[in-house]
Amino acid sequence: MTIRPLIAGNWKMNGTAASLAEVEALHSMLESPQCDILLCPPATLLSRMVSVSGSIMIGGQDCHSASSGAHTGDVSAQMIADAGGEAVIIGHSERRSDYGEQDTLIAAKATAAISAGLLAIICVGETEAERDDGQAETVVLNQLAASVPEHASADTAVIAYEPVWAIGTGRTPTPEDITAMHRTIREALMQRFGTQGAQMRILYGGSMKPSNAAEILAIENVNGGLVGGASLKASDFSAIIAAA
Ligand code: PGA
C-alpha cells in the first residue's frame, strides 16, 4: 500500500502579517501536488494563514496538554482547532531543549491533540553526542515508546525523525543512516501498532532543502519531510513539495 507523503513546514518563531504573501505565493505555485502540505506558523498568524492557504493545511507548533485553564502563555489543542488548524507539532527538539519537555508530557500533549481532532506530529531524534556514542537508535526508540500515545493511529499521528545536530545546521545524515533509522522506526511502529504502524507516516527533518529533498524523499520509509528554514520561502518550499 502506498502512503501519501506529507511535507510540513515549521516556521518556528518567524513571520508577521507581511509573510502571508509568501503563503499566497506558495498556493499559486502548487499544481496538483502529489502529497499533503502543512504549514505551522507561530500562533499569532494561525487563523490569518488559514484564510489565505487554500488546500494547504495549517497547524500549530505546540499545544498544552489541558484543554483550557490557568496556563499563562499557552495554547490548547482545542484552540488550534478552533482557529482552523488541522495539525500540531509535538515534542520538537527545541521544546525539549528550551523548556525541558520530557516524553511523558509529550505523550500527554499528543493525546490532547488527537482528542481535539488534530493530526499530532510527534518529533524524535538524537543529539550529536548521543550519535557519536553509538546511542542514536536507543535514544530514538525510547522517545518513540514513551512519547507516542497508545491509541495513536496512521490517521491521527505522524512521526518526525529529526536528528538534533542536523536542525538548522545544513548538515544531514548519510542516506544510509537515514535508511537505517527510518527502518528501525518502522519496525518499532509495526510491532506496537500492527497495520496502523505500517501505514503511519515517518517524516525526515533537519536541513531538508531543495538540493537534497529528492534524494532524501526517495529513501524507503521516508514518507515526507518536516522543513524549518526552507519552508519560509515559497520558492524553496514548493521545490521540496515538487520533489515529493
Ligand atoms: P531545519 O529545521 O529544516 O531548518 O533544519 C527543521 C525543524 O526543526 O523542524
Side-chain angles (χ1 to χ4, degrees):
M1 97 140 254
T2 55
I3 300 179
R4 187 170 167 86
L6 169 66
I7 302 294
N10 173 11
W11 275 26
K12 308 192 178 184
M13 199 171 71
N14 296 293
T16 57
S19 327
L20 295 171
E22 258 341 282
V23 183
E24 288 170 310
L26 174 67
H27 187 237
S28 68
M29 285 174 192
L30 299 176
E31 280 168 32
S32 47
Q34 303 297 305
C35 60
D36 291 337
I37 304 164
L38 169 70
L39 272 179
C40 298
T44 48
L45 281 182
L46 206 146
S47 66
R48 277 180 288 173
M49 206 177 268
V50 166
S51 62
V52 298
S53 64
S55 60
I56 302 166
M57 289 188 291
I58 303 300
Q61 299 176 9
D62 176 50
C63 68
H64 198 276
S65 58
S67 54
S68 63
H71 302 290
T72 302
D74 278 314
V75 169
S76 74
Q78 275 82 354
M79 290 167 177
I80 292 172
D82 177 60
E86 297 179 72
V88 61
I89 299 169
I90 308 275
H92 189 279
S93 68
E94 287 150 19
R95 303 279 324 165
R96 292 179 186 259
S97 63
D98 290 2
Y99 299 98
E101 289 194 8
Q102 307 277 339
D103 292 327
T104 319
L105 176 65
I106 291 161
K109 289 183 173 199
T111 297
I114 293 169
S115 305
L118 299 178
L119 180 66
I121 299 171
I122 304 166
C123 303
V124 296
E126 81 285 356
T127 62
E128 184 156 37
E130 288 162 344
R131 176 159 285 268
D132 291 346
D133 208 25
Q135 295 300 310
E137 292 204 349
T138 308
V139 167
V140 167
L141 286 175
N142 286 342
Q143 289 176 342
L144 205 61
S147 57
V148 181
E150 219 44 67
H151 57 284
S153 68
D155 287 339
T156 59
V158 169
I159 308 303
Y161 167 59
E162 298 202 299
V164 177
W165 51 273
I167 294 176
T169 60
R171 297 164 54 205
T172 53
T174 63
E176 292 73 28
D177 285 342
I178 298 176
T179 304
M181 186 61 86
H182 278 245
R183 187 191 305 123
T184 298
I185 294 172
R186 174 68 67 210
E187 284 167 2
L189 291 174
M190 285 172 67
Q191 212 164 40
R192 188 162 161 212
F193 298 107
T195 22
Q196 289 300 314
Q199 291 164 17
M200 206 175 278
R201 289 181 281 198
I202 308 171
L203 313 185
Y204 169 79
S207 295
M208 185 180 271
K209 46 190 182 238
S211 59
N212 63 19
E215 184 182 26
I216 295 174
L217 291 167
I219 295 172
E220 197 177 359
N221 291 310
V222 174
N223 313 117
L226 181 53
V227 185
S231 71
L232 292 166
K233 276 184 60 189
S235 53
D236 286 349
F237 198 47
S238 66
I240 294 174
I241 291 164

